[in-house]
Amino acid sequence: QVQLVESGGGLAQAGGSLRLSCAASGRTFSSYAMGWFRQAPGKEREFVASITWIGGSTVYADSVKGRFTISRDNAKNTVYLQMSSLKPEDTSVYYCAVRPRVGSQYGSWGQGTQVTVSS
């Protein structure tokens, strides 16, 4: 079982930056990848970015490409999401999750961290 705790959310102005962290504990050594997702009020949860623990391969949603960067620190079992050039439409609750194996569903969701971008 993996436990995830997100932090780093807050209020930012459009064009500004924030960095989110996701600290993982438990059986992280057996997981394949970590992902960031977000959910705005009244909308479905959407994929933002993912990274593999081994090799650091990354995938981004088109809406954040070139603005967000996902990274990981294997020694700290922590995944980061550096968000730059923020837009009001980035306002959401951001969640991290673990993908146990290639092709499996994401799970072990964290509690989420609120990001609010003002125009």
Side-chain angles (χ1 to χ4, degrees):
Q1 192 74 1
V2 177
Q3 294 80 42
L4 305 174
V5 178
E6 302 98 335
S7 61
L11 178 64
Q13 290 189 335
S17 300
L18 283 173
R19 188 177 84 154
L20 306 183
S21 299
C22 173
S25 60
R27 297 177 60 86
T28 57
F29 64 88
S30 63
S31 64
Y32 167 67
M34 298 291 293
W36 283 99
F37 293 75
R38 65 188 183 185
Q39 187 169 21
K43 295 188 177 181
E44 293 190 354
R45 187 176 295 179
E46 64 175 358
F47 170 81
V48 175
S50 67
I51 188 167
T52 59
W53 283 113
I54 305 300
S57 295
T58 58
V59 179
Y60 294 93
D62 287 343
S63 58
V64 306
K65 256 179 211 175
R67 300 189 299 120
F68 291 9
T69 302
I70 189 171
S71 61
R72 90 277 191 228
D73 184 330
N74 291 48
K76 295 182 179 180
N77 282 340
T78 299
V79 175
Y80 305 97
L81 186 68
Q82 178 67 48
M83 305 185 295
S84 302
S85 301
L86 284 164
K87 303 175 181 179
E89 52 263 44
D90 293 320
T91 296
S92 285
V93 178
Y94 284 72
Y95 300 89
C96 62
V98 62
R99 190 173 217 176
R101 297 167 298 280
V102 175
S104 67
Q105 296 294 315
Y106 282 91
S108 301
W109 298 90
Q111 83 288 351
T113 185
Q114 176 71 47
V115 171
T116 302
V117 183
S118 62
S119 57

